[in-house]
Every structure is written in C-alpha cells, then in structure tokens.
C-alpha cells in the first residue's frame, strides 16, 4: 500500500480507502462485510469511509464492530453528515442541531472517541454556511473530529467554506466527489480550486459503479448478482453507463489493461490516482477478493502513452460538465 497526504494537511492516508456505502448493513450479511474489512486491513488499507445515512445508520455500526479490536491510532476513520437519519424535521441538513447530535450518534455507532475526518455529505442550501462551519469548528475543538471535509461541493462553495474555516482556524482539507475515467466533472473547476486551497480529493466510484470492470458487455444479459441487478440501491446508480456505446468502449480498454498487467478494475482505480489532487480512491466490495484485486492498484504508475490511449477510447462517452457536480443542485 502507498500513502498520500490529504490535501496540504499533515494527515497521511492510504491511497486506496475502503468505503461501505452500498454494502454493509444492506446488500451483504455482516460476516461478509467483516471479511471485506479484514481483506482491506490485510491489503494495508488504513483509511475507512462511511456515513451516518448508509444503510439507515447500520453501516457505521458494522464498521465500528469490525474495527473494534484494531489499534485506533493506526486507522483513519471518516464519516459524514447531512442526509436524513430520522423522522424529525431537524434530523437532516447542516444546521447546528443536526451536526452536534449526529457526531455523537456516529461516534457511538463507530465505537470511537473521535473521527479523523467529519464531512458535510452535501451542500445545504437552506442553512447559512456560517452556522454550518461554526458547528463543524466546535466539533473539532471538542476533539470529536480532527479535520473537516465536504462531499460533492462546487468550486465556489469550496472557496466560501475554506475562507470561513481559515477565519475559524479549523482545517478544511478534503472534498469527496464522484470521479472516474467516465465521470470527469471535477476536472475543470473543482480540482483547480482545490489545488489552490490545499484541499485533496477522496474520490468515490473510481470504477463507475462497476461499468469500468468490463463485466457488463454490449448486447449481453446483465450478470446475475451484479450491482445492475440489485434492487437495494445499486441498479439505479449504474443504469446510465449500461449503454452499448459506453460498454463497447470499455471493452476496447482490455488490450491496454492486459499490456499493463492489470485487470480493467485495477486500471480504472489506477487511472484516478494519476491525478495529483486525488489523495485516495474509495473502493467498496461485497466479496473479499474484490478488495484484494482493487487494492493492487496502489502504487501503479500509468505512463503518458497509456493515459492518452484511455482518454482516446473513452473521450466520446465521458461526462465532463461541471454543472453536474451535486452541489449545484438544491437539497436533493
């Protein structure tokens, strides 16, 4: 495993992080989830990302139980706040009440005294940014989080939050966007702003919800048991990539991956790590062997010719519109 600084902070994280968004507490049983976490630890992964809303709070609890006997100082545990976690009208968003109550509940489920990174899961257009940042600052000053970050914020939102964070003297060090060789919407605005501000990207879905693994083939039935056939939240995420024009181009990547000695999934994960503003790529899994395979992308260098070959193949179907960054939307 290789390690990188998260933005310009002093925090070092594994460049492959393990996330449990669509699996733990929902798609797979806890024994399988724990086996995946053990595989992550065995691969040298030290960074684990979750959120209070995943699997209706169960994902945090599964992760907390799985890591309970590990040396806490050797791990980086990240979680998030924003989406609804209960029926109350204050059980959502980035208001002070929800943030202060949510960090307590997350720490209890994760069985830890602090998280290394506490992230705003989306931008809250209905709450003053000053209120949100002041609440995050109090979380940091109380020792319940060491750093703060955001997820899917626009360049303008990052600049505004970073300015307030500097005034409050708390470290805003990360953004967590979707990023892959197919989904490149952060490249034109978010990445340049982040480089200026010292913010690192912790990217999710580097294999485009599985579309870049090559297991989905144009004109062929969907593989049994794949995310595209899952009715618990996975199918709608990958649906946009299951077009024959996309899948045909993904198959054209296979000779490039073979020449590099990589699987298509490893090639996809390695591709996002070539961006110097990316501090870590988050991988998820329902089986331990998926963790082992994808973690092998750590430390892989793709030469300029290979990068150009990938871009040439995928460019006609890749999405680059910065207006699709989730922070542009309202409170959806």
């Amino acid at each position: 495993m290789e390690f990188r600084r998260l933005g310009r902070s002093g925090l070092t994280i594994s460049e492959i992080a393990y996330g449990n968004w669509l699996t733990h507490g929902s798609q797979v049983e806890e024994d399988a989830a724990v086996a995946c976490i053990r595989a992550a630890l065995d691969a040298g992964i030290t960074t684990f990302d979750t959120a209070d809303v995943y699997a209706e709070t169960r994902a945090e609890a599964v992760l907390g139980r799985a890591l309970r006997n590990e040396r806490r100082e050797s791990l980086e545990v990240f979680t998030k706040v924003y989406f609804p976690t209960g029926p109350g009208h204050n059980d959502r968003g980035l208001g002070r009440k929800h943030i202060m109550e949510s960090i307590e509940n997350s720490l209890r489920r994760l069985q830890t005294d602090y998280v290394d990174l506490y992230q705003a899961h989306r931008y809250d257009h209905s709450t003053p940014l000053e209120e949100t940042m002041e609440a995050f600052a109090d979380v940091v000053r109380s020792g319940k989080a060491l750093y703060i970050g955001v997820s899917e914020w626009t360049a303008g939102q990052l600049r505004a939050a970073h300015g307030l964070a500097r005034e409050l003297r708390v470290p805003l060090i990360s953004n967590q966007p979707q990023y892959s060789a197919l989904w490149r919407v952060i490249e034109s605005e978010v990445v340049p702003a982040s480089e200026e501000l010292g913010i690192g990207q912790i990217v999710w879905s580097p294999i485009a919800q599985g579309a870049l693994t090559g297991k989905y083939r144009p004109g062929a039935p969907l593989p049994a048991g794949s995310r595209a056939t899952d009715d618990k939240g996975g199918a709608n995420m990958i649906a946009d990539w299951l077009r024959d024009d996309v899948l045909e181009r993904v198959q054209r990547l296979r000779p490039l991956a073979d020449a590099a000695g990589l699987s298509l999934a490893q090639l996809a994960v390695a591709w996002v790590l070539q961006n110097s503003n990316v501090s870590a790529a988050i991988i998820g899994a329902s089986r331990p062997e998926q963790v082992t395979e994808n973690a092998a992308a750590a430390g892989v260098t793709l030469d300029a010719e290979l990068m150009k070959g990938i871009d040439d193949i995928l460019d006609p179907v890749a999405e680059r519109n910065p207006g699709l960054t989730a922070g542009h939307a309202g409170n959806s």
Side-chain angles (χ1 to χ4, degrees), residues 209-221:
Q209 291 88 44
L212 287 168
T213 65
K215 65 184 175 183
Y216 302 103
R217 296 178 178 270

Side-chain angles (χ1 to χ4, degrees), residues 266-286:
Q266 290 166 343
L267 183 73
V269 175
W271 184 91
V272 303
L273 291 172
Q274 305 311 296
N275 187 320
S276 60
N277 190 231
V278 171
S279 298
I282 300 173
I283 63 169
S286 56

Side-chain angles (χ1 to χ4, degrees), residues 168-219:
L168 293 164
R169 303 184 69 82
V170 291
L172 172 62
I173 64 172
S174 67
N175 180 46
Q176 187 174 132
Q178 181 179 181
Y179 186 51
S180 72
L182 286 171
W183 187 263
R184 303 176 63 167
V185 303
I186 65 171
E187 290 182 341
S188 62
E189 296 179 3
V190 168
V191 167
S194 296
E195 290 174 336
E196 174 191 335
L197 300 172
I199 290 172
Q201 311 301 317
I202 308 163
V203 305
W204 59 273
S205 200
I207 58 175
Q209 291 88 44
L212 287 168
T213 65
K215 65 184 175 183
Y216 302 103
R217 296 178 178 270

Side-chain angles (χ1 to χ4, degrees), residues 120-139:
H121 208 158
R122 290 295 184 271
Y123 188 86
D124 187 350
H125 294 267
S126 65
T127 299
L129 183 58
E130 292 81 1
E131 177 181 339
T132 294
M133 297 306 294
E134 287 170 0
F136 274 122
D138 287 343
V139 169

Side-chain angles (χ1 to χ4, degrees), residues 37-116:
I37 293 171
R38 297 308 317 172
L41 291 165
D42 290 344
I45 292 172
T46 61
T47 305
F48 294 85
D49 180 80
T50 188
D52 55 7
V53 73
Y54 294 168
E56 299 176 332
T57 74
R58 294 189 299 276
E60 281 186 329
V62 171
L63 184 62
R65 288 190 290 271
L67 296 178
R68 179 172 47 202
N69 295 321
E70 298 298 315
R71 182 176 183 270
R72 181 65 182 86
E73 294 85 350
S74 298
L75 303 174
E76 303 85 48
V77 178
F78 303 167
T79 195
K80 312 180 197 72
V81 57
Y82 168 79
F83 287 108
T85 52
H89 48 267
N90 283 308
D91 288 331
R92 65 199 67 207
L94 297 178
R96 182 177 185 85
K97 177 176 171 62
H98 186 51
I99 288 174
M100 303 310 286
E101 291 172 347
S102 293
I103 186 62
E104 296 292 348
N105 290 329
S106 287
L107 294 179
R108 174 178 49 79
R109 288 187 291 263
L110 289 165
Q111 302 187 42
T112 183
D113 295 328
Y114 70 96
V115 291
D116 297 272

Side-chain angles (χ1 to χ4, degrees), residues 22-23 27-28 209-210 213 215-216 221-235 238 242 285-287 289-290:
L22 285 175
T23 51
Q27 287 184 352
V28 300
Q209 291 88 44
T213 65
K215 65 184 175 183
Y216 302 103
L222 298 176
S226 66
R227 177 171 293 181
T229 63
D230 173 63
D231 61 358
K232 296 179 182 177
I238 192 175
L242 297 181
S286 56
R287 302 188 308 277
E289 55 267 28
Q290 293 172 321

